[in-house]
Amino acid sequence: MVLAGKDALLVGYFSAKQKRYTVLMDELAAAVETLGARVVGRFVQRRGVSDGGVRTMDRPYSSRTLVSGGKVREIASACERTGAEAVVFLNPLTDHQREVLSETFGCSVISAVDLPA
């Protein structure tokens, strides 16, 4: 997917153990901007912050979308509000997750692993 000239939203899913998540999101933003896209928003989903979440923090919230339903609605709203043409996840996504999220967001969804080196 070509990102040049497109508005993009960034999404990162992190364990509560990951303390460098802002640095990782900054690195993703730099990579996306290097490819010619404009970052119009960032979303972070952290797992394991709450009491019961510690036991499950290494698993996705949803095998269908990776992130929680609430976060999906938040990102979809931002896509509509900003006119974003792409959503770039820091995390790897399955083909099924990509399909579901693309349909939900109404734009292309890719993972950082899909970005050219």
Side-chain angles (χ1 to χ4, degrees):
M1 174 191 177
V2 176
L3 288 175
K6 296 189 177 182
D7 288 345
L9 295 172
L10 308 181
V11 181
Y13 175 78
F14 302 97
S15 154
K17 291 180 182 178
Q18 176 57 263
K19 303 300 181 198
R20 296 184 55 243
Y21 69 93
T22 55
V23 172
L24 296 172
M25 290 298 286
D26 288 344
E27 289 172 356
L28 178 60
V32 167
E33 289 169 349
T34 297
L35 294 171
R38 184 173 73 125
V39 175
V40 295
R42 296 179 184 203
F43 295 88
V44 171
Q45 175 91 64
R46 295 190 70 212
R47 183 76 184 250
V49 178
S50 66
D51 199 19
V54 173
R55 290 185 307 277
T56 60
M57 78 173 119
D58 293 326
R59 292 186 295 200
Y61 266 103
S62 164
S63 60
R64 192 166 179 262
T65 62
L66 181 68
V67 294
S68 69
K71 191 60 70 178
V72 168
R73 287 188 296 278
E74 197 178 324
I75 297 165
S77 175
C79 285
E80 189 175 312
R81 187 176 63 255
T82 65
E85 300 159 284
V87 176
V88 182
F89 275 75
L90 180 65
N91 315 79
L93 296 170
T94 65
D95 290 339
H96 183 66
Q97 288 168 334
R98 256 185 266 272
E99 283 177 33
V100 168
L101 292 167
S102 290
E103 187 176 310
T104 303
F105 299 155
C107 66
S108 298
V109 175
I110 63 171
S111 171
V113 298
D114 301 322
L115 298 175

